[in-house]
Amino acid sequence: RAILARATWGDGRTTAGVQSAQTKNNEQLPQDGAPTKALQNIVLGGLNRHAVFFSAALPKRVFPPLFNRYGGAHNSFGNHVDNAVRFIPGTLGERVRTDVSCTLFLSEPDEYDGGELTVEDTFGAQRIKLAAGDMVLYPGTSVHRVEPVTRGCRLASFFWLESMVRSDEQRRLLFDMDSHLMQLRESAGEADPAVIGLTGTYHNLLRMWADV
Ligand code: NI
């Protein structure tokens, strides 16, 4: 947040497609600036330490995180879908298929009004506004928007990742299974034969479905 407070912001439309540029009205840190590089290291370091993130996303390639600000005259991003394939800047055409979209909230919810990330999915619209430091992962296939910020300012990091397991359905099964296995290890112990067997099943499913 200290780095963000000193940074110079640019137009958010620089990373938008033709269609989403029409509804995108926010500010972003320039992708190649020193503040962005420093912040990317902090976020990527956090992801590497986070076992639940790994279990949920099964990341293969992570797009270098971007940083945005909603507030004042630049306060919203209407309904859009994210591009399916992103080229990583500064590489010779390295690409990321955007299986999973990530939004890491960097402002506390009481610092601004509005600014919910609204994701349309099969269960209806999910409105998401998390504590600073918390992140939501959602399917890259969804239509989503950021509601207008009517007071204060909303800082966030956002990025996409390509998962080793492309299918949302398979990834969800693996995440559920891994989460329950964690609980089982606690209650039954690591040496329990059923725990060892189910851990094997988890890894065998991952081996069947993962593309590394
Ligand atoms: Ni988006």
Side-chain angles (χ1 to χ4, degrees), residues 149-185:
V149 171
T150 55
R151 175 189 65 88
C153 134
R154 172 197 192 269
L155 300 172
S157 177
F158 66 104
F159 53 94
W160 305 270
L161 62 91
E162 182 171 327
S163 178
M164 292 187 282
V165 175
R166 180 176 190 166
S167 151
D168 291 337
E169 198 176 16
Q170 291 173 341
R171 209 182 315 113
R172 178 180 293 233
L173 277 173
L174 288 168
F175 182 49
D176 282 348
M177 190 172 182
D178 196 27
S179 306
H180 291 128
L181 261 171
M182 301 269 202
Q183 292 170 24
L184 204 56
R185 274 198 202 104

PDB file of all heavy atoms in Angstrom, residues 149-185:
ATOM      1  N   VAL A 149     -17.584   2.895  -7.655  1.00  0.00           N
ATOM      2  CA  VAL A 149     -17.123   3.315  -6.328  1.00  0.00           C
ATOM      3  C   VAL A 149     -17.624   4.743  -6.119  1.00  0.00           C
ATOM      4  O   VAL A 149     -17.281   5.648  -6.877  1.00  0.00           O
ATOM      5  CB  VAL A 149     -15.585   3.242  -6.229  1.00  0.00           C
ATOM      6  CG1 VAL A 149     -15.101   3.893  -4.937  1.00  0.00           C
ATOM      7  CG2 VAL A 149     -15.121   1.785  -6.294  1.00  0.00           C
ATOM      8  N   THR A 150     -18.490   4.927  -5.109  1.00  0.00           N
ATOM      9  CA  THR A 150     -19.134   6.226  -4.917  1.00  0.00           C
ATOM     10  C   THR A 150     -18.501   7.041  -3.791  1.00  0.00           C
ATOM     11  O   THR A 150     -18.832   8.195  -3.581  1.00  0.00           O
ATOM     12  CB  THR A 150     -20.637   6.036  -4.624  1.00  0.00           C
ATOM     13  OG1 THR A 150     -20.780   5.141  -3.504  1.00  0.00           O
ATOM     14  CG2 THR A 150     -21.344   5.429  -5.840  1.00  0.00           C
ATOM     15  N   ARG A 151     -17.615   6.403  -3.003  1.00  0.00           N
ATOM     16  CA  ARG A 151     -16.871   7.127  -1.962  1.00  0.00           C
ATOM     17  C   ARG A 151     -15.532   6.436  -1.777  1.00  0.00           C
ATOM     18  O   ARG A 151     -15.449   5.210  -1.840  1.00  0.00           O
ATOM     19  CB  ARG A 151     -17.628   7.098  -0.626  1.00  0.00           C
ATOM     20  CG  ARG A 151     -16.840   7.734   0.540  1.00  0.00           C
ATOM     21  CD  ARG A 151     -17.524   7.502   1.886  1.00  0.00           C
ATOM     22  NE  ARG A 151     -17.561   6.098   2.279  1.00  0.00           N
ATOM     23  CZ  ARG A 151     -16.588   5.475   2.974  1.00  0.00           C
ATOM     24  NH1 ARG A 151     -15.502   6.126   3.354  1.00  0.00           N
ATOM     25  NH2 ARG A 151     -16.705   4.182   3.286  1.00  0.00           N
ATOM     26  N   GLY A 152     -14.499   7.212  -1.547  1.00  0.00           N
ATOM     27  CA  GLY A 152     -13.192   6.641  -1.254  1.00  0.00           C
ATOM     28  C   GLY A 152     -12.560   6.004  -2.479  1.00  0.00           C
ATOM     29  O   GLY A 152     -12.929   6.329  -3.625  1.00  0.00           O
ATOM     30  N   CYS A 153     -11.644   5.099  -2.236  1.00  0.00           N
ATOM     31  CA  CYS A 153     -10.922   4.521  -3.359  1.00  0.00           C
ATOM     32  C   CYS A 153     -10.605   3.056  -3.096  1.00  0.00           C
ATOM     33  O   CYS A 153     -10.345   2.647  -1.967  1.00  0.00           O
ATOM     34  CB  CYS A 153      -9.716   5.423  -3.606  1.00  0.00           C
ATOM     35  SG  CYS A 153      -8.182   4.662  -3.844  1.00  0.00           S
ATOM     36  N   ARG A 154     -10.742   2.282  -4.149  1.00  0.00           N
ATOM     37  CA  ARG A 154     -10.576   0.820  -4.066  1.00  0.00           C
ATOM     38  C   ARG A 154      -9.312   0.428  -4.818  1.00  0.00           C
ATOM     39  O   ARG A 154      -9.221   0.582  -6.036  1.00  0.00           O
ATOM     40  CB  ARG A 154     -11.798   0.150  -4.685  1.00  0.00           C
ATOM     41  CG  ARG A 154     -11.723  -1.373  -4.864  1.00  0.00           C
ATOM     42  CD  ARG A 154     -12.809  -1.749  -5.861  1.00  0.00           C
ATOM     43  NE  ARG A 154     -13.116  -3.158  -5.983  1.00  0.00           N
ATOM     44  CZ  ARG A 154     -12.524  -3.977  -6.860  1.00  0.00           C
ATOM     45  NH1 ARG A 154     -11.559  -3.541  -7.648  1.00  0.00           N
ATOM     46  NH2 ARG A 154     -12.939  -5.223  -6.962  1.00  0.00           N
ATOM     47  N   LEU A 155      -8.340  -0.100  -4.083  1.00  0.00           N
ATOM     48  CA  LEU A 155      -7.096  -0.582  -4.678  1.00  0.00           C
ATOM     49  C   LEU A 155      -7.151  -2.103  -4.741  1.00  0.00           C
ATOM     50  O   LEU A 155      -7.611  -2.751  -3.804  1.00  0.00           O
ATOM     51  CB  LEU A 155      -5.895  -0.163  -3.825  1.00  0.00           C
ATOM     52  CG  LEU A 155      -5.670   1.336  -3.617  1.00  0.00           C
ATOM     53  CD1 LEU A 155      -4.574   1.554  -2.587  1.00  0.00           C
ATOM     54  CD2 LEU A 155      -5.310   2.004  -4.937  1.00  0.00           C
ATOM     55  N   ALA A 156      -6.670  -2.647  -5.834  1.00  0.00           N
ATOM     56  CA  ALA A 156      -6.664  -4.107  -5.958  1.00  0.00           C
ATOM     57  C   ALA A 156      -5.555  -4.544  -6.892  1.00  0.00           C
ATOM     58  O   ALA A 156      -5.030  -3.753  -7.683  1.00  0.00           O
ATOM     59  CB  ALA A 156      -8.014  -4.605  -6.480  1.00  0.00           C
ATOM     60  N   SER A 157      -5.208  -5.808  -6.775  1.00  0.00           N
ATOM     61  CA  SER A 157      -4.361  -6.444  -7.762  1.00  0.00           C
ATOM     62  C   SER A 157      -5.235  -7.448  -8.499  1.00  0.00           C
ATOM     63  O   SER A 157      -6.136  -8.044  -7.903  1.00  0.00           O
ATOM     64  CB  SER A 157      -3.190  -7.156  -7.091  1.00  0.00           C
ATOM     65  OG  SER A 157      -2.419  -7.836  -8.067  1.00  0.00           O
ATOM     66  N   PHE A 158      -4.998  -7.611  -9.785  1.00  0.00           N
ATOM     67  CA  PHE A 158      -5.784  -8.586 -10.544  1.00  0.00           C
ATOM     68  C   PHE A 158      -4.866  -9.265 -11.557  1.00  0.00           C
ATOM     69  O   PHE A 158      -3.891  -8.684 -12.030  1.00  0.00           O
ATOM     70  CB  PHE A 158      -6.974  -7.913 -11.240  1.00  0.00           C
ATOM     71  CG  PHE A 158      -6.574  -6.947 -12.323  1.00  0.00           C
ATOM     72  CD1 PHE A 158      -6.693  -7.311 -13.666  1.00  0.00           C
ATOM     73  CD2 PHE A 158      -6.057  -5.703 -12.021  1.00  0.00           C
ATOM     74  CE1 PHE A 158      -6.304  -6.437 -14.673  1.00  0.00           C
ATOM     75  CE2 PHE A 158      -5.655  -4.825 -13.025  1.00  0.00           C
ATOM     76  CZ  PHE A 158      -5.785  -5.187 -14.349  1.00  0.00           C
ATOM     77  N   PHE A 159      -5.169 -10.506 -11.820  1.00  0.00           N
ATOM     78  CA  PHE A 159      -4.364 -11.259 -12.786  1.00  0.00           C
ATOM     79  C   PHE A 159      -5.088 -12.547 -13.140  1.00  0.00           C
ATOM     80  O   PHE A 159      -6.168 -12.835 -12.609  1.00  0.00           O
ATOM     81  CB  PHE A 159      -2.962 -11.553 -12.234  1.00  0.00           C
ATOM     82  CG  PHE A 159      -2.944 -12.218 -10.889  1.00  0.00           C
ATOM     83  CD1 PHE A 159      -2.860 -13.600 -10.787  1.00  0.00           C
ATOM     84  CD2 PHE A 159      -3.024 -11.469  -9.725  1.00  0.00           C
ATOM     85  CE1 PHE A 159      -2.842 -14.228  -9.543  1.00  0.00           C
ATOM     86  CE2 PHE A 159      -3.014 -12.091  -8.480  1.00  0.00           C
ATOM     87  CZ  PHE A 159      -2.917 -13.460  -8.392  1.00  0.00           C
ATOM     88  N   TRP A 160      -4.492 -13.285 -14.028  1.00  0.00           N
ATOM     89  CA  TRP A 160      -5.101 -14.538 -14.489  1.00  0.00           C
ATOM     90  C   TRP A 160      -4.077 -15.645 -14.346  1.00  0.00           C
ATOM     91  O   TRP A 160      -2.874 -15.393 -14.263  1.00  0.00           O
ATOM     92  CB  TRP A 160      -5.494 -14.428 -15.966  1.00  0.00           C
ATOM     93  CG  TRP A 160      -6.369 -13.275 -16.231  1.00  0.00           C
ATOM     94  CD1 TRP A 160      -7.737 -13.254 -16.196  1.00  0.00           C
ATOM     95  CD2 TRP A 160      -5.975 -11.937 -16.572  1.00  0.00           C
ATOM     96  NE1 TRP A 160      -8.207 -11.996 -16.489  1.00  0.00           N
ATOM     97  CE2 TRP A 160      -7.140 -11.174 -16.715  1.00  0.00           C
ATOM     98  CE3 TRP A 160      -4.740 -11.301 -16.750  1.00  0.00           C
ATOM     99  CZ2 TRP A 160      -7.123  -9.820 -17.047  1.00  0.00           C
ATOM    100  CZ3 TRP A 160      -4.721  -9.952 -17.075  1.00  0.00           C
ATOM    101  CH2 TRP A 160      -5.894  -9.228 -17.212  1.00  0.00           C
ATOM    102  N   LEU A 161      -4.576 -16.859 -14.370  1.00  0.00           N
ATOM    103  CA  LEU A 161      -3.627 -17.953 -14.401  1.00  0.00           C
ATOM    104  C   LEU A 161      -4.149 -19.093 -15.260  1.00  0.00           C
ATOM    105  O   LEU A 161      -5.356 -19.287 -15.425  1.00  0.00           O
ATOM    106  CB  LEU A 161      -3.288 -18.440 -12.986  1.00  0.00           C
ATOM    107  CG  LEU A 161      -4.402 -19.015 -12.135  1.00  0.00           C
ATOM    108  CD1 LEU A 161      -4.504 -20.520 -12.334  1.00  0.00           C
ATOM    109  CD2 LEU A 161      -4.128 -18.705 -10.672  1.00  0.00           C
ATOM    110  N   GLU A 162      -3.181 -19.789 -15.823  1.00  0.00           N
ATOM    111  CA  GLU A 162      -3.477 -21.022 -16.533  1.00  0.00           C
ATOM    112  C   GLU A 162      -3.264 -22.147 -15.535  1.00  0.00           C
ATOM    113  O   GLU A 162      -2.238 -22.195 -14.851  1.00  0.00           O
ATOM    114  CB  GLU A 162      -2.515 -21.160 -17.720  1.00  0.00           C
ATOM    115  CG  GLU A 162      -2.760 -22.381 -18.559  1.00  0.00           C
ATOM    116  CD  GLU A 162      -1.921 -22.360 -19.837  1.00  0.00           C
ATOM    117  OE1 GLU A 162      -1.670 -21.267 -20.390  1.00  0.00           O
ATOM    118  OE2 GLU A 162      -1.501 -23.439 -20.255  1.00  0.00           O
ATOM    119  N   SER A 163      -4.247 -23.022 -15.433  1.00  0.00           N
ATOM    120  CA  SER A 163      -4.167 -24.094 -14.452  1.00  0.00           C
ATOM    121  C   SER A 163      -3.630 -25.370 -15.095  1.00  0.00           C
ATOM    122  O   SER A 163      -3.844 -25.615 -16.283  1.00  0.00           O
ATOM    123  CB  SER A 163      -5.560 -24.353 -13.866  1.00  0.00           C
ATOM    124  OG  SER A 163      -5.511 -25.422 -12.954  1.00  0.00           O
ATOM    125  N   MET A 164      -2.954 -26.184 -14.289  1.00  0.00           N
ATOM    126  CA  MET A 164      -2.533 -27.503 -14.761  1.00  0.00           C
ATOM    127  C   MET A 164      -3.754 -28.344 -15.109  1.00  0.00           C
ATOM    128  O   MET A 164      -3.680 -29.249 -15.929  1.00  0.00           O
ATOM    129  CB  MET A 164      -1.712 -28.225 -13.684  1.00  0.00           C
ATOM    130  CG  MET A 164      -0.364 -27.575 -13.421  1.00  0.00           C
ATOM    131  SD  MET A 164       0.645 -28.565 -12.310  1.00  0.00           S
ATOM    132  CE  MET A 164      -0.101 -28.181 -10.723  1.00  0.00           C
ATOM    133  N   VAL A 165      -4.898 -28.035 -14.451  1.00  0.00           N
ATOM    134  CA  VAL A 165      -6.153 -28.743 -14.721  1.00  0.00           C
ATOM    135  C   VAL A 165      -7.117 -27.739 -15.356  1.00  0.00           C
ATOM    136  O   VAL A 165      -7.613 -26.832 -14.704  1.00  0.00           O
ATOM    137  CB  VAL A 165      -6.736 -29.344 -13.427  1.00  0.00           C
ATOM    138  CG1 VAL A 165      -8.091 -29.982 -13.678  1.00  0.00           C
ATOM    139  CG2 VAL A 165      -5.762 -30.362 -12.834  1.00  0.00           C
ATOM    140  N   ARG A 166      -7.360 -27.932 -16.635  1.00  0.00           N
ATOM    141  CA  ARG A 166      -8.101 -26.933 -17.399  1.00  0.00           C
ATOM    142  C   ARG A 166      -9.577 -26.849 -17.012  1.00  0.00           C
ATOM    143  O   ARG A 166     -10.161 -25.760 -16.996  1.00  0.00           O
ATOM    144  CB  ARG A 166      -7.970 -27.299 -18.878  1.00  0.00           C
ATOM    145  CG  ARG A 166      -8.678 -26.355 -19.797  1.00  0.00           C
ATOM    146  CD  ARG A 166      -8.409 -26.755 -21.226  1.00  0.00           C
ATOM    147  NE  ARG A 166      -8.884 -25.741 -22.138  1.00  0.00           N
ATOM    148  CZ  ARG A 166      -8.539 -25.693 -23.414  1.00  0.00           C
ATOM    149  NH1 ARG A 166      -7.727 -26.610 -23.901  1.00  0.00           N
ATOM    150  NH2 ARG A 166      -9.010 -24.751 -24.187  1.00  0.00           N
ATOM    151  N   SER A 167     -10.175 -28.009 -16.700  1.00  0.00           N
ATOM    152  CA  SER A 167     -11.611 -28.065 -16.443  1.00  0.00           C
ATOM    153  C   SER A 167     -11.953 -27.547 -15.037  1.00  0.00           C
ATOM    154  O   SER A 167     -11.397 -28.016 -14.045  1.00  0.00           O
ATOM    155  CB  SER A 167     -12.080 -29.513 -16.608  1.00  0.00           C
ATOM    156  OG  SER A 167     -13.189 -29.777 -15.782  1.00  0.00           O
ATOM    157  N   ASP A 168     -12.893 -26.591 -14.969  1.00  0.00           N
ATOM    158  CA  ASP A 168     -13.358 -26.079 -13.666  1.00  0.00           C
ATOM    159  C   ASP A 168     -13.901 -27.213 -12.807  1.00  0.00           C
ATOM    160  O   ASP A 168     -13.685 -27.254 -11.596  1.00  0.00           O
ATOM    161  CB  ASP A 168     -14.491 -25.053 -13.857  1.00  0.00           C
ATOM    162  CG  ASP A 168     -14.004 -23.764 -14.480  1.00  0.00           C
ATOM    163  OD1 ASP A 168     -12.798 -23.468 -14.383  1.00  0.00           O
ATOM    164  OD2 ASP A 168     -14.836 -23.062 -15.075  1.00  0.00           O
ATOM    165  N   GLU A 169     -14.608 -28.131 -13.468  1.00  0.00           N
ATOM    166  CA  GLU A 169     -15.271 -29.223 -12.757  1.00  0.00           C
ATOM    167  C   GLU A 169     -14.237 -30.156 -12.109  1.00  0.00           C
ATOM    168  O   GLU A 169     -14.346 -30.503 -10.929  1.00  0.00           O
ATOM    169  CB  GLU A 169     -16.116 -29.993 -13.771  1.00  0.00           C
ATOM    170  CG  GLU A 169     -17.181 -30.863 -13.192  1.00  0.00           C
ATOM    171  CD  GLU A 169     -18.025 -31.510 -14.297  1.00  0.00           C
ATOM    172  OE1 GLU A 169     -17.603 -31.530 -15.468  1.00  0.00           O
ATOM    173  OE2 GLU A 169     -19.096 -32.007 -13.971  1.00  0.00           O
ATOM    174  N   GLN A 170     -13.232 -30.526 -12.875  1.00  0.00           N
ATOM    175  CA  GLN A 170     -12.188 -31.397 -12.334  1.00  0.00           C
ATOM    176  C   GLN A 170     -11.386 -30.685 -11.249  1.00  0.00           C
ATOM    177  O   GLN A 170     -11.045 -31.266 -10.224  1.00  0.00           O
ATOM    178  CB  GLN A 170     -11.252 -31.850 -13.461  1.00  0.00           C
ATOM    179  CG  GLN A 170     -11.927 -32.810 -14.437  1.00  0.00           C
ATOM    180  CD  GLN A 170     -11.062 -33.115 -15.648  1.00  0.00           C
ATOM    181  OE1 GLN A 170     -10.128 -32.375 -15.969  1.00  0.00           O
ATOM    182  NE2 GLN A 170     -11.376 -34.195 -16.338  1.00  0.00           N
ATOM    183  N   ARG A 171     -11.099 -29.398 -11.483  1.00  0.00           N
ATOM    184  CA  ARG A 171     -10.326 -28.630 -10.503  1.00  0.00           C
ATOM    185  C   ARG A 171     -11.095 -28.529  -9.189  1.00  0.00           C
ATOM    186  O   ARG A 171     -10.523 -28.632  -8.106  1.00  0.00           O
ATOM    187  CB  ARG A 171     -10.020 -27.245 -11.071  1.00  0.00           C
ATOM    188  CG  ARG A 171      -8.731 -26.649 -10.540  1.00  0.00           C
ATOM    189  CD  ARG A 171      -8.452 -25.253 -11.074  1.00  0.00           C
ATOM    190  NE  ARG A 171      -8.663 -25.124 -12.479  1.00  0.00           N
ATOM    191  CZ  ARG A 171      -9.628 -24.392 -13.030  1.00  0.00           C
ATOM    192  NH1 ARG A 171     -10.478 -23.725 -12.277  1.00  0.00           N
ATOM    193  NH2 ARG A 171      -9.754 -24.316 -14.333  1.00  0.00           N
ATOM    194  N   ARG A 172     -12.405 -28.344  -9.288  1.00  0.00           N
ATOM    195  CA  ARG A 172     -13.224 -28.242  -8.082  1.00  0.00           C
ATOM    196  C   ARG A 172     -13.230 -29.560  -7.306  1.00  0.00           C
ATOM    197  O   ARG A 172     -13.119 -29.566  -6.081  1.00  0.00           O
ATOM    198  CB  ARG A 172     -14.656 -27.839  -8.456  1.00  0.00           C
ATOM    199  CG  ARG A 172     -15.587 -27.746  -7.260  1.00  0.00           C
ATOM    200  CD  ARG A 172     -16.968 -27.358  -7.690  1.00  0.00           C
ATOM    201  NE  ARG A 172     -16.962 -25.981  -8.200  1.00  0.00           N
ATOM    202  CZ  ARG A 172     -17.780 -25.038  -7.749  1.00  0.00           C
ATOM    203  NH1 ARG A 172     -18.640 -25.304  -6.808  1.00  0.00           N
ATOM    204  NH2 ARG A 172     -17.739 -23.821  -8.246  1.00  0.00           N
ATOM    205  N   LEU A 173     -13.346 -30.676  -8.020  1.00  0.00           N
ATOM    206  CA  LEU A 173     -13.312 -31.991  -7.366  1.00  0.00           C
ATOM    207  C   LEU A 173     -12.000 -32.188  -6.629  1.00  0.00           C
ATOM    208  O   LEU A 173     -11.971 -32.653  -5.486  1.00  0.00           O
ATOM    209  CB  LEU A 173     -13.477 -33.101  -8.410  1.00  0.00           C
ATOM    210  CG  LEU A 173     -14.899 -33.445  -8.837  1.00  0.00           C
ATOM    211  CD1 LEU A 173     -14.863 -34.433 -10.000  1.00  0.00           C
ATOM    212  CD2 LEU A 173     -15.651 -34.053  -7.663  1.00  0.00           C
ATOM    213  N   LEU A 174     -10.900 -31.831  -7.286  1.00  0.00           N
ATOM    214  CA  LEU A 174      -9.590 -32.003  -6.662  1.00  0.00           C
ATOM    215  C   LEU A 174      -9.453 -31.121  -5.427  1.00  0.00           C
ATOM    216  O   LEU A 174      -8.902 -31.539  -4.403  1.00  0.00           O
ATOM    217  CB  LEU A 174      -8.475 -31.691  -7.667  1.00  0.00           C
ATOM    218  CG  LEU A 174      -8.275 -32.735  -8.765  1.00  0.00           C
ATOM    219  CD1 LEU A 174      -7.371 -32.200  -9.865  1.00  0.00           C
ATOM    220  CD2 LEU A 174      -7.685 -34.026  -8.181  1.00  0.00           C
ATOM    221  N   PHE A 175      -9.960 -29.894  -5.532  1.00  0.00           N
ATOM    222  CA  PHE A 175      -9.875 -28.965  -4.395  1.00  0.00           C
ATOM    223  C   PHE A 175     -10.703 -29.492  -3.213  1.00  0.00           C
ATOM    224  O   PHE A 175     -10.240 -29.496  -2.073  1.00  0.00           O
ATOM    225  CB  PHE A 175     -10.339 -27.574  -4.811  1.00  0.00           C
ATOM    226  CG  PHE A 175     -10.248 -26.549  -3.717  1.00  0.00           C
ATOM    227  CD1 PHE A 175      -9.089 -26.396  -2.972  1.00  0.00           C
ATOM    228  CD2 PHE A 175     -11.318 -25.720  -3.426  1.00  0.00           C
ATOM    229  CE1 PHE A 175      -8.992 -25.444  -1.955  1.00  0.00           C
ATOM    230  CE2 PHE A 175     -11.237 -24.766  -2.420  1.00  0.00           C
ATOM    231  CZ  PHE A 175     -10.076 -24.636  -1.682  1.00  0.00           C
ATOM    232  N   ASP A 176     -11.921 -29.945  -3.505  1.00  0.00           N
ATOM    233  CA  ASP A 176     -12.769 -30.516  -2.447  1.00  0.00           C
ATOM    234  C   ASP A 176     -12.068 -31.702  -1.789  1.00  0.00           C
ATOM    235  O   ASP A 176     -12.025 -31.813  -0.561  1.00  0.00           O
ATOM    236  CB  ASP A 176     -14.106 -30.997  -3.032  1.00  0.00           C
ATOM    237  CG  ASP A 176     -15.066 -29.857  -3.280  1.00  0.00           C
ATOM    238  OD1 ASP A 176     -14.792 -28.744  -2.792  1.00  0.00           O
ATOM    239  OD2 ASP A 176     -16.075 -30.068  -3.969  1.00  0.00           O
ATOM    240  N   MET A 177     -11.524 -32.574  -2.622  1.00  0.00           N
ATOM    241  CA  MET A 177     -10.898 -33.774  -2.093  1.00  0.00           C
ATOM    242  C   MET A 177      -9.684 -33.424  -1.246  1.00  0.00           C
ATOM    243  O   MET A 177      -9.489 -33.970  -0.148  1.00  0.00           O
ATOM    244  CB  MET A 177     -10.479 -34.682  -3.250  1.00  0.00           C
ATOM    245  CG  MET A 177     -10.034 -36.041  -2.801  1.00  0.00           C
ATOM    246  SD  MET A 177      -9.791 -37.127  -4.217  1.00  0.00           S
ATOM    247  CE  MET A 177      -9.333 -38.609  -3.337  1.00  0.00           C
ATOM    248  N   ASP A 178      -8.872 -32.500  -1.729  1.00  0.00           N
ATOM    249  CA  ASP A 178      -7.676 -32.089  -0.987  1.00  0.00           C
ATOM    250  C   ASP A 178      -8.064 -31.438   0.348  1.00  0.00           C
ATOM    251  O   ASP A 178      -7.450 -31.700   1.383  1.00  0.00           O
ATOM    252  CB  ASP A 178      -6.848 -31.128  -1.853  1.00  0.00           C
ATOM    253  CG  ASP A 178      -5.434 -30.974  -1.336  1.00  0.00           C
ATOM    254  OD1 ASP A 178      -4.924 -31.922  -0.686  1.00  0.00           O
ATOM    255  OD2 ASP A 178      -4.826 -29.916  -1.568  1.00  0.00           O
ATOM    256  N   SER A 179      -9.109 -30.605   0.327  1.00  0.00           N
ATOM    257  CA  SER A 179      -9.549 -29.930   1.559  1.00  0.00           C
ATOM    258  C   SER A 179     -10.015 -30.963   2.594  1.00  0.00           C
ATOM    259  O   SER A 179      -9.698 -30.860   3.781  1.00  0.00           O
ATOM    260  CB  SER A 179     -10.697 -28.957   1.269  1.00  0.00           C
ATOM    261  OG  SER A 179     -10.330 -28.057   0.259  1.00  0.00           O
ATOM    262  N   HIS A 180     -10.790 -31.943   2.134  1.00  0.00           N
ATOM    263  CA  HIS A 180     -11.274 -32.964   3.070  1.00  0.00           C
ATOM    264  C   HIS A 180     -10.131 -33.846   3.567  1.00  0.00           C
ATOM    265  O   HIS A 180     -10.134 -34.270   4.726  1.00  0.00           O
ATOM    266  CB  HIS A 180     -12.376 -33.798   2.406  1.00  0.00           C
ATOM    267  CG  HIS A 180     -13.635 -33.028   2.179  1.00  0.00           C
ATOM    268  ND1 HIS A 180     -14.274 -32.952   0.962  1.00  0.00           N
ATOM    269  CD2 HIS A 180     -14.344 -32.254   3.020  1.00  0.00           C
ATOM    270  CE1 HIS A 180     -15.339 -32.181   1.076  1.00  0.00           C
ATOM    271  NE2 HIS A 180     -15.404 -31.733   2.315  1.00  0.00           N
ATOM    272  N   LEU A 181      -9.169 -34.093   2.693  1.00  0.00           N
ATOM    273  CA  LEU A 181      -8.005 -34.876   3.112  1.00  0.00           C
ATOM    274  C   LEU A 181      -7.221 -34.175   4.219  1.00  0.00           C
ATOM    275  O   LEU A 181      -6.736 -34.812   5.156  1.00  0.00           O
ATOM    276  CB  LEU A 181      -7.078 -35.104   1.916  1.00  0.00           C
ATOM    277  CG  LEU A 181      -7.204 -36.465   1.231  1.00  0.00           C
ATOM    278  CD1 LEU A 181      -6.397 -36.475  -0.053  1.00  0.00           C
ATOM    279  CD2 LEU A 181      -6.736 -37.577   2.164  1.00  0.00           C
ATOM    280  N   MET A 182      -7.115 -32.854   4.118  1.00  0.00           N
ATOM    281  CA  MET A 182      -6.432 -32.062   5.163  1.00  0.00           C
ATOM    282  C   MET A 182      -7.110 -32.307   6.508  1.00  0.00           C
ATOM    283  O   MET A 182      -6.449 -32.517   7.527  1.00  0.00           O
ATOM    284  CB  MET A 182      -6.501 -30.561   4.865  1.00  0.00           C
ATOM    285  CG  MET A 182      -5.878 -30.178   3.559  1.00  0.00           C
ATOM    286  SD  MET A 182      -4.154 -29.755   3.740  1.00  0.00           S
ATOM    287  CE  MET A 182      -3.914 -28.766   2.285  1.00  0.00           C
ATOM    288  N   GLN A 183      -8.453 -32.253   6.509  1.00  0.00           N
ATOM    289  CA  GLN A 183      -9.212 -32.460   7.745  1.00  0.00           C
ATOM    290  C   GLN A 183      -9.004 -33.881   8.276  1.00  0.00           C
ATOM    291  O   GLN A 183      -8.839 -34.103   9.477  1.00  0.00           O
ATOM    292  CB  GLN A 183     -10.706 -32.217   7.506  1.00  0.00           C
ATOM    293  CG  GLN A 183     -11.060 -30.766   7.223  1.00  0.00           C
ATOM    294  CD  GLN A 183     -12.503 -30.609   6.751  1.00  0.00           C
ATOM    295  OE1 GLN A 183     -13.352 -31.443   7.038  1.00  0.00           O
ATOM    296  NE2 GLN A 183     -12.770 -29.545   6.016  1.00  0.00           N
ATOM    297  N   LEU A 184      -9.014 -34.819   7.345  1.00  0.00           N
ATOM    298  CA  LEU A 184      -8.860 -36.221   7.720  1.00  0.00           C
ATOM    299  C   LEU A 184      -7.487 -36.490   8.321  1.00  0.00           C
ATOM    300  O   LEU A 184      -7.346 -37.263   9.277  1.00  0.00           O
ATOM    301  CB  LEU A 184      -9.081 -37.092   6.481  1.00  0.00           C
ATOM    302  CG  LEU A 184      -9.522 -38.536   6.695  1.00  0.00           C
ATOM    303  CD1 LEU A 184     -10.810 -38.595   7.514  1.00  0.00           C
ATOM    304  CD2 LEU A 184      -9.755 -39.212   5.335  1.00  0.00           C
ATOM    305  N   ARG A 185      -6.462 -35.843   7.769  1.00  0.00           N
ATOM    306  CA  ARG A 185      -5.104 -35.991   8.319  1.00  0.00           C
ATOM    307  C   ARG A 185      -5.065 -35.531   9.763  1.00  0.00           C
ATOM    308  O   ARG A 185      -4.408 -36.132  10.599  1.00  0.00           O
ATOM    309  CB  ARG A 185      -4.115 -35.148   7.508  1.00  0.00           C
ATOM    310  CG  ARG A 185      -3.604 -35.871   6.305  1.00  0.00           C
ATOM    311  CD  ARG A 185      -2.336 -35.210   5.782  1.00  0.00           C
ATOM    312  NE  ARG A 185      -2.184 -35.593   4.401  1.00  0.00           N
ATOM    313  CZ  ARG A 185      -2.454 -34.807   3.362  1.00  0.00           C
ATOM    314  NH1 ARG A 185      -2.839 -33.566   3.552  1.00  0.00           N
ATOM    315  NH2 ARG A 185      -2.327 -35.259   2.156  1.00  0.00           N
TER     316      ARG A 185
END
